[in-house]
Amino acid sequence: MDKSMKTKLISKIILHKLAKFTFVLGGVTVLTFIILSYSPIDPIRAYIGADMLVVSEEQKEAIADYWGINDSKWQQFINWFSAIIQGDFGTSLLYRQDVLTIIKERFTASIWLMGTAWVLSGIVGFTFGLLAGMKEGSWIDWIIKNYCYLIASTPAFWVGILLVMCFSVWLPIFPVGLAAPIGMESENVTILDRIYHLVLPVLTLTIVGVANIALHTREKLIELLKSPYIRFARAQGLSGFRLIGNHAIRNISLPAISLHFASFGHLFGGAILAEQVFSYPGLGTTIVQAGLQSDVPLLLGIVIFSTIFVFLGNVLADILYVIVDPRMRESEAG
Amino acid sequence: MLHVDNVSFRYPNRPWLFRNLSLTIDKGEIVGMYGKSGIGKSTLAKIIAGYIKPLQGEIRICNNKLTGEKIYPVQLIWQHAELVINPSWQMKKILAESPYLSEEMLSCLGIQSSWLSKYPHELSGGELQRFNIARALGTDAPFYIADEITSMFDAISQAQIWHSLLQEVEQQQKGMLVISHNQKLLEKICHRIVHFSDLAMADRD
Amino acid sequence: MMTRTKTVLLEVKDFSMTLKQSGRTLNIIRSLDLTVHKQEMVAIIGASGAGKSILADAIIGLLPRNAVIEGKMEFLGQPLTDKLQANLRGREIILIPQMTNALNPLITVGKQVGWTVGRVNKKKRLKEIFQQVGLAETVMAQYPHELSGGMMQKVFLAIALASQAQLIIADEPTKGLDKEAVNAALGHLRQLADAGRGIVLITHDIQAAVKFADTIVVYYGGKTIEVTEAANFSGNGDKLKHPYTRALWNALPENGFIPDNPMV
């Protein structure tokens, strides 16, 4: 297959995904909107907060009118949706700021956390998987396998709490939380400060993220080592790391990377919990606050944003498959 | 009479595998088919058995076009029994899917009653293939396709499986298409032998 | 006919193998014999489960770790130890598996043949070998699924030539191929035998074995049942000694198609 066909195929996939994405996004927005509209929290109370007692009924009415709360749900949805289409995500009730600005700022903080953890857990998980698969049935395999099963059934926040207990409380090496030293002006915060505060949250996400990729890689490698062409390659005299290097790295790493891209959803979910434990000011803590305090515009904004984020991971995963496997290019062409 | 009528097929973005291919199989007739590897024999088998839709042409029995029947009247006996048998079911449960199986048919196929309580992994490939055949015959469909169903067995097992299958097919006047690379086998068991590339009509390009 | 003065390449005598599996010991192979001379093609036939492929793995040294083997196994008079096997593998002894799925689908053909060629003058030798077997140079950059059956044969021939191995073990190499392709592939192997190498052909295809091999070895249930010249497979099989061998011969569609197994 030549290059132009490959490009054609990839653009075809992207178009196809884009259509699918429109549906998913539509579904997600409608669903979130419906769920939120049944939330027991009164948005006016949430907006006014402690001043509720001193605000008169007329004022409350005015506020309700201003935010469009008295319109029908349907009308509210239309208003909100048409604004979104025009790129206006509205104003956060909590922060009194443009939703997009908040998302941008919080996501920058989160991306450091998630990105580092994503890369690290990928590398560590893949290595673990290779080791376990190469030595199937040995003690190394046993340890890695059971570690993964254990981790796969452990929630991220619990790992985070354990780490805080070990490395912040008993052995005070790392800070308990936040993204920078308390009370420091943001312009004085150095890169080192940031990294220092990132260590434990990243570690939490990495530890949790390893399991999936390691188990997948192990399975794939064991399956691969039984394949006729590995038997053939070994009969040709290839062995040990040369065998794994020639055959396994290409055959296994790219499905693994694809799987890893497809795990953006897990990553985001884990990040919400980890950020919560470490009070890390990222998208995760923000979405929890927005949810708890009924900040509808912000919550919906983040939901849409995270949908795009997870979907992007899936699209990248699919495209990678096509680039890497010459057979996929032909079957996908249909 | 089974009619394969001017059937054409290609996989997406590939050249035509075959065009305007026609073939008829009579009731009680066993037709052999051979041809080069990769030429489309197995694809044709799947089309006739209703697993793939042809791009052009149609499959008819007498004059009825085949559409969504409960039990498809053309049953494909697969090459690899182990791939089409649920590994976690007991053999009798697997056979229960075929309503018209009789004790007689089972014993004719050489299936011992003790095998019925076993699981697929406890049986050899040859034994599994007999179940695979029984399951197809037990649908009482009028036509069958056997696509290289014995090529992985030794000569004795091959002869055993064919003897029992042929006995059933002949007794009940079924029609069958046998696909194999083994021309000696086809000569032995078929009424008529066709070469795959002779089936497609003139406008091959 | 074979003259017995030719050098013995491989000698396997009374080979047995047991597998230790979670405390239990499974006796997989009881007693297999196999002798291969230079310029000789020996075909191994027999029912599945007779131990044909396991023997191939044992000769080349690729048995699973829980396998325990006994018996004599010598290559050119030297006992085949793990260390010797590791040295010979891919150089003096080579395995050709079922051709339709033996290449890594994600790696180009040239690269895969290249592993056997060795590092000295790799490019030049690869070109020579491809020319020798009649494959265009462009095939080197292609992936296995892009090759036709006929081209695939030539690739394996190229690998056999590249290795300069004295012993070639072909394990069901022609499974799934049509008759012409089978004849072409086995014809190539026959040429290699005539040029001085020893070939072991493991197959279900008795017709092909009789046509191309010098000697035929019959295994059943992990035991050697008969070793005989290929020419003895003729007529009613009167020249065959063991009833099972005769039964195999007479079960062929062209020889009576008799479905009786004397072993059960």
Side-chain angles (χ1 to χ4, degrees):
Chain A
M1 175 173 285
D2 55 36
K3 254 215 170 88
S4 71
M5 222 163 142
K6 197 159 149 184
T7 339
K8 215 172 112 192
L9 186 60
I10 290 174
S11 35
K12 199 173 151 190
I13 293 179
I14 293 178
L15 275 179
H16 177 79
K17 293 284 167 190
L18 219 57
K20 209 167 163 185
F21 177 63
T22 324
F23 279 105
V24 172
L25 201 57
V28 167
T29 44
V30 171
L31 207 68
T32 326
F33 194 88
I34 292 174
I35 293 174
L36 278 178
S37 66
Y38 286 101
S39 159
I41 295 174
D42 177 5
I44 301 173
R45 188 186 290 265
Y47 175 66
I48 301 170
D51 296 336
M52 200 65 183
L53 290 175
V54 294
V55 175
S56 70
E57 282 304 313
E58 288 78 32
Q59 278 171 308
K60 283 183 196 165
E61 264 316 296
I63 292 170
D65 269 348
Y66 178 74
W67 291 113
I69 289 166
N70 292 333
D71 295 346
S72 72
K73 292 285 178 206
W74 180 237
Q75 189 58 46
Q76 286 182 35
F77 182 74
I78 301 273
N79 290 345
W80 172 74
F81 196 75
S82 53
I84 294 268
I85 300 276
Q86 291 157 29
D88 175 13
F89 279 69
T91 309
S92 157
L93 301 180
L94 280 174
Y95 298 90
R96 312 283 147 93
Q97 241 181 335
D98 183 39
V99 165
L100 273 185
T101 318
I102 300 174
I103 290 180
K104 206 174 125 197
E105 181 194 309
R106 295 305 170 103
F107 183 67
T108 327
S110 281
I111 196 72
W112 285 109
L113 169 61
M114 291 196 285
T116 323
W118 187 77
V119 171
L120 277 181
S121 61
I123 293 170
V124 175
F126 188 67
T127 318
F128 275 12
L130 277 187
L131 273 176
M134 266 171 88
K135 305 269 175 206
E136 190 201 355
S138 70
W139 60 271
I140 300 183
D141 181 33
W142 192 89
I143 290 175
I144 291 176
K145 212 170 62 188
N146 283 291
Y147 165 78
C148 290
Y149 289 147
L150 188 72
I151 284 302
S153 48
T154 310
F157 71 86
W158 194 74
V159 175
I161 292 171
L162 272 189
L163 286 179
V164 170
M165 272 166 61
C166 292
F167 298 107
S168 307
V169 181
W170 294 336
L171 282 174
I173 309 174
F174 292 109
V176 182
L178 303 178
I182 298 171
M184 194 183 268
E185 298 273 335
S186 64
E187 51 265 31
N188 295 334
V189 179
T190 62
I191 293 272
L192 275 179
D193 281 329
R194 290 199 188 279
I195 293 176
Y196 182 57
H197 281 79
L198 261 174
V199 172
L200 282 189
V202 163
L203 205 57
T204 308
L205 276 187
T206 307
I207 288 176
V208 180
V210 159
N212 229 342
I213 193 95
L215 285 176
H216 171 268
T217 306
R218 176 183 176 275
E219 256 344 274
K220 284 272 163 195
L221 183 60
I222 289 173
E223 191 190 313
L224 186 82
L225 288 178
K226 284 182 183 143
S227 70
Y229 54 87
I230 288 287
R231 179 176 178 232
F232 180 52
R234 289 173 69 196
Q236 276 175 280
L238 260 63
S239 63
F241 283 101
R242 201 165 155 233
L243 179 76
I244 299 288
N246 272 327
H247 280 283
I249 296 302
R250 193 185 167 100
N251 291 45
I252 295 178
S253 64
L254 287 136
I257 293 175
S258 287
L259 175 90
H260 211 40
F261 270 112
S263 72
F264 273 17
H266 275 280
L267 182 70
F268 194 76
I272 293 180
L273 297 174
E275 286 181 10
Q276 210 48 35
V277 171
F278 293 98
S279 314
Y280 188 85
L283 215 51
T285 36
T286 316
I287 197 174
V288 172
Q289 275 176 5
L292 288 179
Q293 305 189 33
S294 236
D295 187 345
V296 180
L298 184 58
L299 187 57
L300 282 172
I302 298 179
V303 165
I304 290 174
F305 185 81
S306 52
T307 310
I308 295 175
F309 178 70
V310 172
F311 205 86
L312 202 68
N314 284 316
V315 173
L316 285 174
D318 286 346
I319 291 175
L320 256 180
Y321 259 117
V322 175
I323 293 176
V324 166
D325 192 333
R327 293 165 305 171
M328 268 307 259
R329 282 173 223 156
E330 281 175 17
S331 62
E332 268 286 327
Chain B
M1 183 102 96
L2 173 71
H3 294 270
V4 177
D5 203 4
N6 280 306
V7 166
S8 307
F9 189 79
R10 69 199 289 178
Y11 287 104
N13 293 1
R14 308 240 90 193
W16 285 101
L17 206 50
F18 42 81
R19 285 176 88 167
N20 298 328
L21 186 149
S22 296
L23 171 73
T24 54
I25 300 171
D26 219 336
K27 223 178 123 204
E29 189 186 28
I30 299 173
V31 179
M33 185 169 82
Y34 68 100
K36 272 186 171 298
S37 323
I39 198 172
K41 299 188 296 291
S42 295
T43 305
L44 177 66
K46 284 182 200 157
I47 288 177
I48 303 177
Y51 289 95
I52 307 178
K53 265 179 93 105
L55 294 180
Q56 294 160 14
E58 58 183 25
I59 315 292
R60 286 175 291 122
I61 285 183
C62 298
N63 278 318
N64 306 321
K65 211 180 155 189
L66 301 185
T67 41
E69 264 102 330
K70 247 190 188 159
I71 288 179
Y72 205 80
V74 186
Q75 285 289 317
L76 178 60
I77 305 171
W78 297 80
Q79 181 176 5
H80 297 287
E82 68 278 7
L83 299 182
V84 290
I85 280 180
N86 188 332
S88 57
W89 283 8
Q90 261 181 337
M91 298 317 296
K92 54 184 161 208
K93 187 169 176 190
I94 288 163
L95 290 185
E97 287 182 327
S98 306
Y100 301 101
L101 263 180
S102 63
E103 296 264 326
E104 213 183 320
M105 207 187 277
L106 291 184
S107 72
C108 173
L109 285 171
I111 292 174
Q112 296 168 15
S113 49
S114 62
W115 295 354
L116 292 175
S117 52
K118 291 191 175 180
Y119 287 91
H121 71 269
E122 298 172 308
L123 296 172
S124 76
E127 289 161 358
L128 271 186
Q129 191 62 296
R130 286 162 209 266
F131 277 97
N132 202 22
I133 293 167
R135 187 166 65 158
L137 288 178
T139 58
D140 201 31
F143 291 97
Y144 296 88
I145 302 174
D147 185 5
E148 291 282 7
I149 61 170
T150 56
S151 57
M152 58 299 216
F153 303 125
D154 61 275
I156 299 174
S157 309
Q158 286 200 22
Q160 286 173 344
I161 290 174
W162 280 112
H163 275 278
S164 19
L165 177 55
L166 291 175
Q167 194 187 331
E168 278 299 320
V169 167
E170 274 162 16
Q171 211 171 44
Q172 302 184 34
Q173 285 292 295
K174 310 282 192 191
M176 184 158 71
L177 176 66
V178 181
I179 302 173
S180 176
H181 287 312
N182 190 342
Q183 287 176 41
K184 292 277 165 36
L185 174 72
L186 297 181
E187 283 164 21
K188 185 81 188 175
I189 63 176
C190 300
H191 301 124
R192 176 161 71 92
I193 300 177
V194 293
H195 189 289
F196 183 87
S197 26
D198 293 339
L199 296 176
M201 286 292 186
D203 76 82
R204 199 165 253 280
D205 47 6
Chain C
M1 277 306 95
M2 279 276 320
T3 42
R4 293 295 166 196
T5 47
K6 278 175 190 150
T7 326
V8 175
L9 257 185
L10 175 79
E11 186 165 26
V12 178
K13 251 211 155 96
D14 209 15
F15 173 81
S16 74
M17 188 195 84
T18 45
L19 272 185
K20 286 204 168 125
Q21 215 161 42
S22 51
R24 286 186 308 163
T25 308
L26 301 171
N27 201 341
I28 305 287
I29 290 181
R30 290 188 181 84
S31 156
L32 294 185
D33 303 309
L34 178 67
T35 307
V36 186
H37 300 78
K38 284 191 173 178
Q39 283 191 318
E40 185 185 22
M41 183 157 164
V42 181
I44 303 179
I45 59 176
S48 349
K52 300 182 299 256
S53 293
I54 294 177
L55 182 67
D57 280 351
I59 295 168
I60 218 151
L62 295 181
L63 287 178
R65 262 172 294 179
N66 56 345
V68 184
I69 55 176
E70 273 172 69
K72 177 175 155 184
M73 195 152 48
E74 289 181 356
F75 182 77
L76 286 170
Q78 282 179 295
L80 274 172
T81 56
D82 290 353
K83 205 177 153 197
L84 184 62
Q85 279 172 330
N87 270 329
L88 298 178
R89 198 155 52 221
R91 295 186 188 91
E92 296 295 318
I93 308 178
I94 193 165
L95 177 98
I96 297 184
Q98 189 186 333
M99 291 180 181
T100 44
N101 61 5
L103 292 182
N104 189 328
L106 300 188
I107 300 176
T108 59
V109 172
K111 205 168 171 208
Q112 299 196 59
V113 180
W115 292 330
T116 314
V117 170
R119 278 164 218 188
V120 191
N121 271 336
K122 195 172 197 161
K123 272 207 174 131
K124 198 170 146 244
R125 282 215 47 214
L126 255 181
K127 274 186 192 173
E128 284 171 7
I129 291 166
F130 268 62
Q131 213 166 31
Q132 210 175 333
V133 297
L135 279 173
E137 244 175 74
T138 47
V139 174
M140 284 189 209
Q142 285 184 298
Y143 289 94
H145 77 277
E146 298 172 314
L147 302 190
S148 70
M151 285 155 92
M152 196 64 105
Q153 319 282 324
K154 292 179 181 170
V155 169
F156 282 96
L157 184 67
I159 288 170
L161 284 173
S163 78
Q164 297 183 310
Q166 300 195 57
L167 180 66
I168 298 171
I169 303 173
D171 189 358
E172 306 241 22
T174 56
K175 201 169 171 182
L177 297 179
D178 60 75
K179 203 177 158 199
E180 280 146 55
V182 170
N183 282 337
L186 296 185
H188 287 318
L189 285 179
R190 184 67 249 178
Q191 282 172 13
L192 290 174
D194 292 339
R197 308 194 191 196
I199 317 274
V200 177
L201 171 68
I202 298 173
T203 184
H204 276 308
D205 189 342
I206 299 176
Q207 287 124 318
V210 170
K211 189 168 171 190
F212 288 97
D214 303 297
T215 310
I216 294 185
V217 179
V218 186
Y219 291 163
Y220 186 86
K223 280 186 189 158
T224 311
I225 274 185
E226 182 154 3
V227 180
T228 184
E229 282 175 31
N232 288 340
F233 282 81
S234 64
N236 303 333
D238 295 336
K239 290 183 189 150
L240 301 169
K241 290 189 204 88
H242 198 282
Y244 179 74
T245 320
R246 269 201 299 277
L248 271 180
W249 180 242
N250 289 321
L252 290 181
E254 64 269 40
N255 299 345
F257 212 32
I258 302 165
D260 296 332
N261 185 353
M263 306 297 278
V264 289

